[in-house]
Amino acid sequence: MRFWPSVIALLRKDLLLEWRLKYAISGILLYMLCIVFILFLTFSDSVSDPVWVVLFWIVILFTAVNAVAKSFLLEGPARQLYYYTVAGPHAIILAKIIYNMAVMLVLSALAVCFYGITCGFPIVDDTSFMLALLLGATAFASVFSMISAIAGKASNSGTLMAILSFPMLIPVLIILIRITLKAIAANDGAANAQDLLYLTGLNILIIGMALILFPYLWRD
Amino acid sequence: MLKQLHNKWWKVLCVVLLLYTFGYGLFVPTPNVVLLHETIRNLFFHVPCWFAMLLLMLTSLIYSVMYLRKGRMIYDVVATNMLKVALLFGVLGYITGMLWGSYTWGNLTSWMTSDTKTLGAAIGLLIYFAYFILRGSIDDEEKRARVSAVYSIFAFVLLNVAINVVPRLKDSLHPGSGGNATFTVYDLDSHLRMVFYPAVFAYTTLGLWISSLLIRISILHYKQHHIDIE
């Protein structure tokens, strides 16, 4: 099959599976709702800005690890073998990354709603925050997609998912937290331009590395 | 490369220079800088750890790439054993750094979150500890070598780019950044350099020596089962 048609076919397959197994995505949603509710109970009245920011990104991080982990882990070796016979490795990893990116965008939009309603919404610079959310969701989705492909080859993949990917995401998280803190401090988009550019570059690098390295990984 | 590692001369040089570092390093006259005082001697014991670690990690990365290209088991053996020793030097560098920081920057751990270089080193160590856990949880040898090579390359490239970006965002407490002077400023009579450069050489060769021994043990393991991987 040619490249783009097979990417689109794989994306359609993932969407269709998600639609048929609605409990999977609703499970993740409920998980996120529970974390936010616990935070809401703990905060009671007010919360300082740094704490708000850090906990928000931790909510996104843990939602992402649960939502994206299943991308390669749930599909058994036999089914993966079938995909590998009908599509190339680049198409498979790209389709996974795009699909997970879409899932992460929906989930982070919902997280902003829940978190904003329950714990307050101190953001002033909305544009920077939205861009950070977009780039952050992309980075989480692509790193977790690649790591779940790696962890899927090992036996205790659940634990491995977290320990393999969290150290790599610490720099991304640091930049995201900086952007969000600045977006709370003042409505000045120019202050965040450099950080947003770094994040974009990092995203391109992650996806590039995934495309280069996945062909060595996919076959058994 | 493995053939050259059997030579003796550089091992003798390594031992002599290590003795020199740990002997003369304690007696060499120091520039007596405010705040650092005699702790400046830790330059000979702390900084070479990172040099040795970085060299071993880079070599391991090259061998990982070579494994993915050629698929020969020996490359995987070299890459892993070098990383083991690199981790050892990383932990030693961390411990000596914590001791140094406790005298110059405050207590043992308060600077851990505020200093970007320490943060980078911590992330690097976490990544490579995870590497060994990943290896431990795959049984098949070929698969283990391939998957861990992919992870090692992915992590190393991302980490390095990230580490080179993040320090630009925040000042480090380390010399040479955030308006801090480098050691060349203090080292007016080159006494420090006379110990520092030999120390770097001694530590890196010690690292290569230990890893070459580990590699030879692994090769013997294979030979025991009559598998020739060289």
Side-chain angles (χ1 to χ4, degrees), chain A residues 146 150 153-156 160 163-164 167-168 170-171 174-175 178 195 198 205-206 209 213 216-217 219-220, chain B residues 68 119 123 126-127 130 133-134 137-138 143 146-147 150-151 153-155 157-158 161-162 165 168-169:
Chain A
M146 187 63 190
I150 291 174
K153 303 279 175 198
S155 48
N156 56 343
L160 272 178
I163 59 166
L164 293 181
M168 264 183 257
I170 293 173
I174 291 175
I175 303 177
R178 275 169 51 89
D195 284 355
Y198 277 144
L205 185 88
I206 294 168
M209 288 300 292
L213 288 173
Y216 293 103
L217 198 65
R219 253 188 287 254
D220 273 323
Chain B
L68 286 187
L119 186 72
I123 302 172
L126 281 179
I127 284 183
I133 294 176
L134 174 67
S137 49
I138 304 177
K143 195 168 155 190
R146 199 159 34 83
V147 172
V150 167
Y151 173 70
I153 298 168
F154 189 62
V157 172
L158 284 194
V161 172
V165 169
R168 276 167 228 279
L169 308 176

Side-chain angles (χ1 to χ4, degrees), chain B residues 103-119:
Chain B
Y103 287 103
T104 52
W105 293 344
N107 61 34
L108 277 176
T109 50
S110 68
W111 39 269
M112 210 184 243
T113 48
S114 57
D115 186 81
T116 47
K117 286 192 183 173
T118 13
L119 186 72

Side-chain angles (χ1 to χ4, degrees), chain A:
Chain A
M1 225 194 282
R2 297 222 327 278
F3 185 70
W4 287 109
S6 54
V7 171
I8 291 166
L10 284 165
L11 278 175
R12 233 188 112 239
K13 178 266 305 177
D14 272 337
L15 262 177
L16 209 63
L17 276 182
E18 198 74 78
W19 181 248
R20 286 187 187 156
L21 299 171
K22 287 184 205 70
Y23 71 87
I25 193 85
S26 4
I28 307 275
L29 266 179
L30 197 58
Y31 176 86
M32 188 174 72
L33 206 62
C34 285
I35 307 179
V36 174
F37 190 64
I38 291 168
L39 293 180
F40 168 61
L41 291 180
T42 325
F43 288 166
S44 63
D45 286 332
S46 64
V47 56
S48 69
D49 291 344
V51 175
W52 188 92
V53 172
V54 168
L55 287 176
F56 173 73
W57 285 112
I58 287 177
V59 169
I60 300 277
L61 181 71
F62 277 83
T63 314
V65 82
N66 282 295
V68 182
K70 62 184 174 43
S71 58
F72 281 97
L73 303 187
L74 275 194
E75 291 170 346
R79 210 200 297 176
Q80 280 184 7
L81 194 65
Y82 169 65
Y83 296 148
Y84 299 155
T85 56
V86 293
H90 292 121
I92 288 174
I93 189 73
L94 198 67
K96 278 285 182 219
I97 289 177
I98 294 172
Y99 177 72
N100 285 328
M101 225 186 293
V103 169
M104 273 316 297
L105 281 178
V106 173
L107 285 177
S108 34
L110 288 171
V112 173
C113 294
F114 292 152
Y115 198 62
I117 292 167
T118 50
C119 306
F121 191 71
I123 304 285
V124 191
D125 184 1
D126 290 326
T127 348
S128 299
F129 182 65
M130 287 301 153
L131 280 174
L133 212 57
L134 177 75
L135 291 170
T138 316
F140 287 171
S142 38
V143 167
F144 282 135
S145 302
M146 187 63 190
I147 293 297
S148 87
I150 291 174
K153 303 279 175 198
S155 48
N156 56 343
S157 33
T159 334
L160 272 178
M161 219 13 230
I163 59 166
L164 293 181
S165 51
F166 283 3
M168 264 183 257
L169 284 171
I170 293 173
V172 177
L173 274 175
I174 291 175
I175 303 177
L176 285 173
I177 289 168
R178 275 169 51 89
I179 297 175
T180 323
L181 278 174
K182 277 192 205 157
I184 289 176
N187 190 359
D188 177 19
N192 278 320
Q194 199 192 16
D195 284 355
L196 289 170
L197 213 63
Y198 277 144
L199 264 188
T200 318
L202 209 57
N203 271 322
I204 294 171
L205 185 88
I206 294 168
I207 296 172
M209 288 300 292
L211 285 177
I212 292 170
L213 288 173
F214 188 70
Y216 293 103
L217 198 65
W218 66 320
R219 253 188 287 254
D220 273 323

Side-chain angles (χ1 to χ4, degrees), chain B residues 23-85:
Chain B
Y24 190 55
L26 295 175
F27 297 107
V28 66
T30 55
N32 204 5
V33 187
V34 180
L35 208 70
L36 285 173
H37 300 294
E38 292 293 319
T39 66
I40 204 165
R41 291 183 201 283
N42 205 0
L43 174 72
F44 315 136
F45 312 119
H46 166 67
V47 185
C49 284
W50 299 116
F51 276 79
M53 184 193 82
L54 279 179
L55 179 92
L56 289 168
M57 280 183 176
L58 267 176
T59 325
S60 161
L61 179 79
I62 294 167
Y63 274 92
S64 290
V65 174
M66 274 162 60
Y67 179 80
L68 286 187
R69 292 184 62 87
K70 305 256 172 66
R72 288 173 60 197
M73 214 51 203
I74 182 74
Y75 296 141
D76 176 62
V77 168
V78 174
T80 343
N81 285 314
M82 290 221 160
L83 273 189
K84 272 183 202 160
V85 185

